[in-house]
Amino acid sequence: MRFRSESKSILNSLVFIIVYFYSSYFYSFSKILQMTYNNSVLVGNWSEERLKNEYEFKLFLRKRDRRELLLQRSRNLFSNLLKERPLAISGTYVLFGFNVQVVASDMPVAKKSAAGDKPQYGLALSSLVSERQVDYMQNINDGCLMTLSPIVTPCCRNTFVILSTRDESIRGQKMNYGDEFLLRAENYGDPEAPPLYVRYTPEGVPGPADRMPIRLSAIKDTNCRWTTVPLLPCNRLEGLGSSIKTGARLIIKNCVADKSLCVMNQSWMHTFFGPYKLNIFLEQMKRGDLMLARYRKMTENLNKPTVLTQSSGSTGFGAKIALLAPHVPASDPPIEDKKGLLLGGRISSNEINYSQELEDGCNIVALSELEPAEKTTFVLKSADYCNRDAEPLKYNQEFLLALSCSVEKKKVNTDIIVNHCATNVNLGINIGCWSMGFYGKLCAPLMKTCLDVYGKELPNNVWQIYIPIAG
């Protein structure tokens, strides 16, 4: 009986510990859920996300300046590999030292033709830079894969110089069946780069489709040697040693492996130069879906130069003006000789995804660029919604500021204080809050009456209805 009572007490203790543990766990979990929906936590998450977006856009600008964006690399790749190379006119026969193409003229193109159209034939031996390689090479290089492409227009990727293995300096001599030769692909984008040769690398076991054994190589060895034989078996014995005519159908063999160069037309790959991916890329670029295209459109809209309204005396309603804070530093840290900030609109890294123009809800910031542009140009409007165009603006008179296009007139710059009618505080600039924007550093405006110990307005609140005066 004593043993049972002790066991029962131990069991009750264990149950109490387990219940206490789970109650503590659920209490802590409920606290975590409460913290998730706490306002401070939400504000912190929002600030962290905003800083993350700003950091990512800084990386984008840095890559753009260094020409490391995928769009820039792709354009450089297209420019280098698709640059047309005219074939040297060699007459009726193939000559050593001239540019040639290796074309499988009887092979059909994979793209299906429309109903009633004739099927297209002809695939050219071409070098390839894949999507994975475009990050570190934009031109043909050692190790580039050799493929057959329907692009038969003579260009850098499918044009080779045919050289004799006996003497590479031979030029203009006829090439005969049975002669050994090299196919050299030159890097026209970098003349100092070493020459590249079409090389066959024999493998012990078959490899995957993207590991084909024929590649460009800077190593010139026996695996780079090729030879030709006539197409028909009945002509091979008599035709050996005769000159090769331009455009003749023939067999190309590797001298070491004694294997013929052939086409794997059942294994098609989509590449940068294929119609599918290239058309997708062009459509995205036309629609402006690429980040660089959005940035360019925003720059064109916001940085379009304007001409402000100019006059010999006072400022009137309907005038195109810019608001300048002339006495505040225009940089961070401040530079003594560089002062003046213009009030203007800004598009953030989040807003550029759906808008490239200043719209409702865009932030107002202080910019250090003093040249009038669309983002810093406003038109003076009457606060009572009456048409007061050409009427002079008086001190203590209410007005509205609206973004506007430019006109050609002149204006005098005068220090003024801009006061908000409802709250009776002055428009100022918070020079202690600088951040990075699309076009460099910028600081935020504020609504605060900034006075010194003598009650005089600080430079933060001093503005000018600004127009640069020539001369």
Side-chain angles (χ1 to χ4, degrees):
M1 294 295 292
R2 182 181 179 184
F3 176 75
R4 290 182 179 177
S5 61
E6 291 180 354
S7 302
K8 186 175 182 180
S9 62
I10 293 173
L11 182 61
N12 292 335
S13 301
L14 290 175
V15 171
F16 174 76
I17 293 173
I18 294 173
V19 172
Y20 176 77
F21 172 76
Y22 277 102
S23 62
S24 302
Y25 173 77
F26 284 112
Y27 177 77
S28 302
F29 185 71
S30 63
K31 286 295 185 183
I32 293 174
L33 290 179
Q34 292 177 4
M35 290 182 61
T36 304
Y37 295 97
N38 187 276
N39 290 333
S40 301
V41 176
L42 293 176
V43 171
N45 292 337
W46 175 82
S47 300
E48 182 180 0
E49 188 69 21
R50 181 179 60 83
L51 293 176
K52 180 182 177 181
N53 293 333
E54 293 288 345
Y55 174 74
E56 290 178 353
F57 193 76
K58 290 178 185 178
L59 292 180
F60 162 77
L61 294 178
R62 190 179 305 166
K63 288 183 179 180
R64 183 207 60 183
D65 296 336
R66 295 179 180 179
R67 301 191 64 80
E68 295 177 354
L69 294 177
L70 181 59
L71 174 61
Q72 295 170 327
R73 290 172 174 171
S74 302
R75 285 180 175 174
N76 193 23
L77 178 70
F78 295 152
S79 175
N80 292 335
L81 269 66
L82 297 182
K83 183 178 181 181
E84 292 189 10
R85 298 295 303 176
L87 298 178
I89 300 176
S90 59
T92 308
Y93 297 97
V94 179
L95 304 179
F96 284 117
F98 283 77
N99 294 340
V100 297
Q101 282 184 298
V102 180
V103 181
S105 56
D106 295 335
M107 294 304 302
V109 178
K111 183 180 179 181
K112 296 182 179 180
S113 57
D117 294 345
K118 294 182 179 180
Q120 298 180 0
Y121 294 91
L123 300 175
L125 184 67
S126 307
S127 55
L128 174 67
V129 176
S130 64
E131 295 93 332
R132 297 179 181 179
Q133 297 172 325
V134 73
D135 289 330
Y136 55 89
M137 67 171 67
Q138 288 84 47
N139 212 325
I140 56 174
N141 209 331
D142 185 19
C144 283
L145 180 68
M146 299 302 302
T147 61
L148 276 298
S149 171
I151 301 176
V152 295
T153 303
C155 57
C156 293
R157 65 185 297 245
N158 59 21
T159 303
F160 307 91
V161 181
I162 189 166
L163 302 174
S164 174
T165 56
R166 294 174 298 168
D167 185 4
E168 295 185 17
S169 62
I170 295 177
R171 179 177 173 83
Q173 182 177 334
K174 291 182 180 180
M175 177 179 169
N176 302 324
Y177 286 106
D179 291 346
E180 296 185 359
F181 62 92
L182 305 172
L183 291 175
R184 185 182 70 190
E186 296 184 353
N187 190 338
Y188 297 100
D190 186 6
E192 298 181 358
L196 302 172
Y197 300 91
V198 178
R199 184 175 186 268
Y200 170 72
T201 305
E203 297 181 356
V205 294
D210 59 346
R211 295 295 300 273
M212 296 181 185
I214 303 176
R215 295 175 179 269
L216 289 181
S217 175
I219 302 175
K220 184 178 63 174
D221 57 6
T222 56
N223 290 325
C224 299
R225 292 171 175 256
W226 304 86
T227 188
T228 58
V229 294
L231 177 63
L232 299 178
C234 59
N235 297 332
R236 290 176 185 175
L237 184 60
E238 297 180 356
L240 193 64
S242 61
S243 300
I244 302 175
K245 292 185 177 181
T246 304
R249 292 176 171 84
L250 45 80
I251 303 297
I252 299 179
K253 287 189 175 184
N254 184 265
C255 298
V256 175
D258 195 27
K259 291 184 178 181
S260 301
L261 181 65
C262 63
V263 182
M264 296 176 59
N265 65 329
Q266 72 275 11
S267 177
W268 287 89
M269 299 178 295
H270 287 296
T271 66
F272 271 110
F273 309 100
Y276 172 74
K277 288 192 176 181
L278 187 58
N279 291 338
I280 293 269
F281 168 78
L282 294 176
E283 288 177 3
Q284 289 180 345
M285 185 172 61
K286 290 179 181 178
R287 291 197 306 264
D289 293 340
L290 301 174
M291 186 62 173
L292 185 59
R294 292 172 178 168
Y295 174 78
R296 286 179 174 173
K297 185 176 181 181
M298 182 198 68
T299 302
E300 181 182 356
N301 293 336
L302 270 64
N303 288 351
K304 183 179 180 181
T306 58
V307 179
L308 305 182
T309 303
Q310 300 176 358
S311 65
S312 58
S314 61
T315 303
F317 287 101
K320 278 69 176 178
I321 57 96
L323 281 178
L324 171 70
H327 306 302
V328 296
S331 62
D332 181 32
I335 301 176
E336 183 178 357
D337 297 335
K338 189 176 181 181
K339 293 185 178 182
L341 294 174
L342 283 178
L343 191 71
R346 178 207 177 198
I347 296 177
S348 65
S349 56
N350 291 332
E351 296 167 342
I352 195 177
N353 293 323
Y354 55 85
S355 175
Q356 291 82 48
E357 296 180 353
L358 291 174
E359 295 181 351
D360 183 19
C362 288
N363 296 329
I364 296 294
V365 295
L367 305 167
S368 59
E369 303 162 3
L370 298 185
E371 290 296 328
E374 288 290 345
K375 61 186 177 184
T376 57
T377 302
F378 301 90
V379 58
L380 286 174
K381 291 292 184 179
S382 175
D384 55 9
Y385 301 101
C386 296
N387 186 8
R388 299 185 181 276
D389 290 348
E391 291 186 13
L393 176 66
K394 304 178 179 63
Y395 287 103
N396 204 30
Q397 187 175 4
E398 298 179 3
F399 64 90
L400 303 176
L401 289 175
L403 287 173
S404 175
C405 298
S406 61
V407 292
E408 295 183 358
K409 291 181 182 177
K410 282 194 174 179
K411 185 165 187 55
V412 175
N413 303 325
T414 306
D415 292 351
I416 58 173
I417 303 296
V418 179
N419 183 269
H420 189 247
C421 301
T423 59
N424 196 29
V425 293
N426 297 335
L427 177 64
I429 292 180
N430 186 5
I431 58 176
C433 182
W434 288 82
S435 62
M436 181 61 67
F438 283 98
Y439 311 106
K441 287 188 175 182
L442 48 88
C443 65
L446 53 78
M447 296 302 300
K448 183 180 180 181
T449 302
C450 301
L451 304 176
D452 59 13
V453 294
Y454 301 103
K456 182 181 178 181
E457 287 80 7
L458 293 177
N460 305 55
N461 285 128
V462 180
W463 297 89
Q464 288 180 358
I465 297 179
Y466 170 75
I467 288 180
I469 298 177

